[in-house]
Amino acid sequence: MVQSDSKLHEVALQKLNDRGVELKEIAELVYDLQSPYLAELTMQPCLESVKAVIRKREVQNAILTGIELDVLTEEGKLSSPLQEIIEEDESLYGIDEILALSIVNVYGSIGFTNYGFLDKTKPKLIKRLDDHTHSNKTHTFLDDIVGAIAAAAASRLAHDNPGISKIMK
């Protein structure tokens, strides 16, 4: 039986929390992306935007799928060579980014550039999730999903606030 929208949302939030991801950390990434363009930006609208992105069912589905693949990899439950590819976060695999792009797509083309920047620079939370040296956890999908949520939330803010942009003044 498929979960109700509110139950699916709760499960997605719990899965993020279980993996050590706090929404305020994603909001910090959003703030860093948008503060150069939105003069009066505070953390509150960034957090609200993150929450709005995660309320979308397709985002919840991506969160659940990516985290499940990461967990199955940690447990050694995937077939070879997929097990080793995800375990090593093979740079040419790319399916983790493809899943993340399904989230980025929700708020238009600015999301692609935001996501590309975050994926390349790996700031803050993304760097922590991508660091394989201090954890026995696999975050091959989660680091990209977090980056995509931040990119989409930043894009949402940009689209919702064209009148307060420094460019428009």
Side-chain angles (χ1 to χ4, degrees):
M1 179 177 182
V2 177
Q3 300 281 337
S4 70
D5 284 348
S6 63
K7 181 66 175 169
L8 191 65
H9 180 251
E10 289 173 26
V11 171
L13 288 174
Q14 186 60 53
K15 293 282 186 182
L16 287 171
N17 189 273
D18 290 348
R19 301 301 283 184
V21 173
E22 294 183 28
L23 299 188
K24 89 174 179 66
E25 291 179 284
I26 302 174
E28 289 173 7
L29 297 168
V30 174
Y31 180 84
D32 291 347
L33 283 170
Q34 285 302 298
S35 62
Y37 308 104
L38 301 175
E40 304 297 320
L41 187 64
T42 65
M43 284 295 294
Q44 188 58 37
C46 296
L47 183 58
E48 289 170 12
S49 192
V50 167
K51 289 177 180 178
V53 168
I54 295 173
R55 277 193 298 271
K56 296 211 166 270
R57 187 177 187 93
E58 58 265 54
V59 175
Q60 296 162 13
N61 289 335
I63 291 167
L64 296 176
T65 301
I67 289 175
E68 187 70 16
L69 286 167
D70 284 344
V71 169
L72 289 171
T73 301
E74 287 171 12
E75 296 172 351
K77 292 186 176 177
L78 301 176
S79 301
S80 187
L82 186 59
Q83 174 69 36
E84 294 81 15
I85 290 169
I86 296 175
E87 200 168 57
E88 295 170 21
D89 200 359
E90 171 63 44
S91 62
L92 295 177
Y93 177 57
I95 304 304
D96 47 338
E97 283 88 4
I98 296 299
L99 183 61
L101 290 175
S102 70
I103 295 170
V104 171
N105 250 350
V106 174
Y107 290 100
S109 62
I110 189 174
F112 284 98
T113 55
N114 284 337
Y115 175 73
F117 176 77
L118 292 173
D119 190 46
K120 183 72 173 165
T121 61
K122 300 197 184 314
K124 297 180 177 181
L125 172 60
I126 297 169
K127 181 179 181 121
R128 178 173 58 83
L129 293 172
D130 190 56
D131 184 3
H132 306 284
T133 59
H134 301 298
S135 173
N136 60 351
K137 297 217 181 270
T138 299
H139 294 131
T140 299
F141 285 87
L142 185 57
D143 66 326
D144 292 300
I145 288 168
V146 164
I149 293 169
S155 301
R156 182 179 176 277
L157 281 175
H159 284 286
D160 286 351
N161 296 291
I164 63 171
S165 170
K166 287 181 182 177
I167 296 169
M168 301 297 286
K169 291 186 176 190

